[in-house]
Amino acid sequence: MNRISQLSATVMLVLLTATTSRAQSGTDRVQRRNGIDTGSVIETTPLGVTISKGGVTRKIPAEEIRSIQFAGEPPELNSARTQFGRGRFDTAAETLKKIAPDKITRPEATQELNFLTAACLGNLALAGKGDVKKAIAEVGKFLATHRTSFHVPEAIELHGDLYRAAGDLELARKKYETLAKAPADYFKARSAFLVGKLLHDQGKHAEALSQFEASITAAGTNTTADEVKRAATLARAVSLSATGKLVEGTNVVKQVIQRTSPDDTTSLAQGYNALGDCYLAGGDSHAARDAFLHVDLLFNTATTEHAEALFRLTNLWKELRQPTRAQDAQQRLGDDYPLSRWAGR
């Protein structure tokens, strides 16, 4: 078994086993999707953490955790965590370099330090600001070394993204498929969605449709997986459009947009980007341009989605023979979102 195969087997084993680590006492803060829990994290696994407070323990699934601030960790670690969450991967990486590893006593804090270091390197590489192969090695090292971290699923997905960027689509798919080994609806849905996106970009639209439908089914009524279910629904519509069913695909997206609250700018931006992708897949450049302009002009506070819209507009304006507007979109993408994955394409 070669080195890559050994690493893949190790990562798969991580999600299927109940290996845990014990935390020291203290007040930890677990930032969930909807709220904060405080207490002592007494156990961590790739599937989540167990927190104890007042003699009462409860498990928090990994998919619900936004971040954890551990008692006794260096203050720089939380600063880096905040910077990372805001997409400031370069600043976060510099902050992490200031932390002396031997000053950290809790294994959970060490996991945080090593995860953030690897994740910053990975995201910078995806933005075209670093070496992809070096990032692959660093994320692989984290996965092989920290088998009890709740960051394992996130690291596996990042590993897949990096292999995809390196052009190794087979390994990227294997990484994404590993997530489906977790006994959680969220990760099964996420796995199918990521594989579907990979297949769509390869032009394998029928296979992509099957994966998106599997994602929607896996998500079911699990509210934690709603975000993935919505993304899979939009992606399925784009693949439908690519198979020649443009009206059906755009109608699905329009229905999603109509059901979205006017205050939910991120979801609306995602909807209009999907609509633009549908029109692109159907060969209607003018309609695609108008959809992406909705994001550029009306929903530009959704930073990730706005970066994507600017990337699409750059290419569309070139296609429509408006080089000045193409240059403007490209410059704004580079100036406003230099660390975006879209800027690195």
Side-chain angles (χ1 to χ4, degrees):
M1 182 181 291
N2 60 34
R3 185 171 177 272
I4 292 178
S5 298
Q6 289 176 329
L7 180 57
S8 296
T10 298
V11 173
M12 289 183 70
L13 183 62
V14 165
L15 286 172
L16 294 173
T17 58
T19 306
T20 63
S21 67
R22 295 287 171 177
Q24 297 177 354
S25 60
T27 301
D28 304 317
R29 291 172 56 86
V30 180
Q31 177 69 58
R32 294 182 290 105
R33 289 174 179 267
N34 298 301
I36 298 176
D37 287 336
T38 59
S40 296
V41 173
I42 61 173
E43 187 176 60
T44 66
T45 78
L47 300 178
V49 305
T50 300
I51 190 168
S52 175
K53 185 175 184 179
V56 178
T57 62
R58 66 182 298 252
K59 294 182 180 295
I60 305 175
E63 61 268 30
E64 291 186 11
I65 301 173
R66 294 293 191 191
S67 65
I68 301 179
Q69 183 177 357
F70 294 100
E73 69 178 25
E76 294 88 354
L77 187 57
N78 193 49
S79 296
R81 186 185 293 118
T82 300
Q83 292 158 353
F84 179 85
R86 294 174 179 171
R88 295 162 55 188
F89 309 118
D90 51 352
T91 306
E94 290 301 315
T95 301
L96 290 167
K97 290 178 182 178
K98 300 175 183 177
I99 302 174
D102 59 353
K103 299 297 183 181
I104 298 177
T105 58
R106 290 185 64 172
E108 295 80 14
T110 297
Q111 288 179 347
E112 284 288 291
L113 173 62
N114 292 340
F115 169 73
L116 288 171
T117 298
C120 283
L121 194 64
N123 279 281
L124 285 170
L126 291 173
K129 306 293 184 182
D131 188 307
V132 173
K133 290 184 179 180
K134 182 178 179 181
I136 287 174
E138 193 69 22
V139 175
K141 179 182 176 182
F142 171 82
L143 287 167
T145 307
H146 298 290
R147 303 179 186 180
T148 64
S149 172
F150 70 94
H151 286 299
V152 163
E154 187 178 353
I156 289 174
E157 181 174 334
L158 177 58
H159 218 194
D161 293 345
L162 288 164
Y163 276 118
R164 182 176 179 176
D168 194 334
L169 304 185
E170 182 179 352
L171 263 179
R173 178 168 181 166
K174 288 180 179 178
K175 292 297 176 182
Y176 296 150
E177 289 176 338
T178 299
L179 293 174
K181 304 295 182 181
D185 293 341
Y186 176 88
F187 291 118
K188 294 183 186 302
R190 186 70 184 168
S191 172
F193 169 72
L194 292 169
V195 172
K197 292 286 284 184
L198 186 66
L199 290 167
H200 175 86
D201 288 350
Q202 292 176 265
K204 300 178 180 180
H205 303 304
E207 293 178 59
L209 280 169
S210 178
Q211 289 293 326
F212 293 138
E213 287 161 3
S215 177
I216 293 168
T217 300
T221 58
N222 186 324
T223 55
T224 304
D226 279 349
E227 184 178 316
V228 180
K229 186 175 183 178
R230 188 178 189 281
T233 299
L234 293 173
R236 176 180 174 274
V238 177
S239 286
L240 278 173
S241 300
T243 61
K245 299 179 180 179
L246 179 60
V247 174
E248 183 178 349
T250 54
N251 281 343
V252 169
V253 176
K254 289 174 183 178
Q255 289 170 10
V256 172
I257 292 174
Q258 289 171 357
R259 293 196 298 266
T260 302
S261 167
D263 297 326
D264 190 350
T265 56
T266 296
S267 294
L268 287 170
Q270 291 169 351
Y272 277 102
N273 275 344
L275 186 60
D277 285 338
C278 283
Y279 286 126
L280 277 179
D284 191 337
S285 298
H286 288 87
R289 174 204 60 194
D290 293 344
F292 293 123
L293 278 174
H294 267 78
V295 181
D296 186 27
L297 301 176
L298 301 177
F299 309 118
N300 50 43
T301 55
T303 56
T304 300
E305 292 71 24
H306 188 214
E308 178 181 356
L310 288 173
F311 174 83
R312 300 295 189 201
L313 285 168
T314 297
N315 295 325
L316 279 166
W317 287 129
K318 290 178 182 177
E319 181 183 334
L320 296 172
R321 298 182 179 181
Q322 296 198 45
T324 301
R325 301 198 72 170
Q327 184 177 6
D328 171 69
Q330 186 172 32
Q331 183 170 341
R332 286 191 289 132
L333 173 59
D335 290 346
D336 297 342
Y337 310 107
L339 301 183
S340 166
R341 297 185 182 188
W342 294 101
R345 293 197 175 195

